[in-house]
Amino acid sequence: MSFAALRFPASSPPTLARREPSSDLRALIKAHRAMYAAFGKVIHEMDGSNRDHDRASRAEERALLAVCAYPAVREGDRRAKARYLLKIEARGELDLAEHTQALLRSTMWKE
């Protein structure tokens, strides 16, 4: 039997609530955007110290890891998380082993 011949049961379309990202994920993404902007500001300031740079870098990294680690169960969360992280990855900034580990762990059910 070919794959094309397989019939899968039709699923009902997700409700609007399931298609929208949760307030928790929206808050995590908003926090990361703010930390990313703050980090960019520190980089562009001429008088920023290395300590300011390191602190802003760590804060941005923690915020990104929180997005990666978020267990996106609902369809809206999965789509929003994937879209956001694909943008981050396109900039070459989803490049640490910790990012991959957090993403993989976020897909595992907690028992």
Side-chain angles (χ1 to χ4, degrees):
M1 175 187 274
S2 73
F3 182 74
L6 292 175
R7 299 255 187 243
F8 296 97
S11 60
S12 60
T15 63
L16 181 60
R18 294 172 114 186
R19 287 183 280 179
E20 294 296 318
S22 66
S23 59
D24 291 341
L25 180 59
R26 284 194 308 261
L28 290 173
I29 290 172
K30 183 178 180 180
H32 177 255
R33 285 182 176 145
M35 293 298 106
Y36 186 77
F39 179 51
K41 185 177 177 184
V42 167
I43 289 173
H44 290 101
E45 289 179 352
M46 297 303 283
D47 60 346
S49 70
N50 280 342
R51 186 185 331 212
D52 292 340
H53 177 276
D54 291 345
R55 189 175 321 139
S57 176
R58 283 191 304 273
E60 185 273 335
E61 188 63 35
R62 281 191 304 272
L64 180 55
L65 283 171
V67 174
C68 290
Y70 182 79
V73 176
R74 297 180 355 186
E75 180 181 353
D77 284 346
R78 288 191 307 269
R79 289 176 182 262
K81 180 178 175 178
R83 274 194 302 267
Y84 187 69
L85 292 177
L86 283 169
K87 289 177 186 175
I88 302 297
E89 192 277 331
R91 295 191 309 238
E93 298 171 358
L94 194 64
D95 57 349
L96 299 178
E98 290 86 354
H99 297 140
T100 302
Q101 291 167 3
L103 280 165
L104 292 171
R105 286 187 181 117
S106 77
T107 66
M108 297 170 51
W109 295 104
K110 301 214 186 298
E111 297 180 25

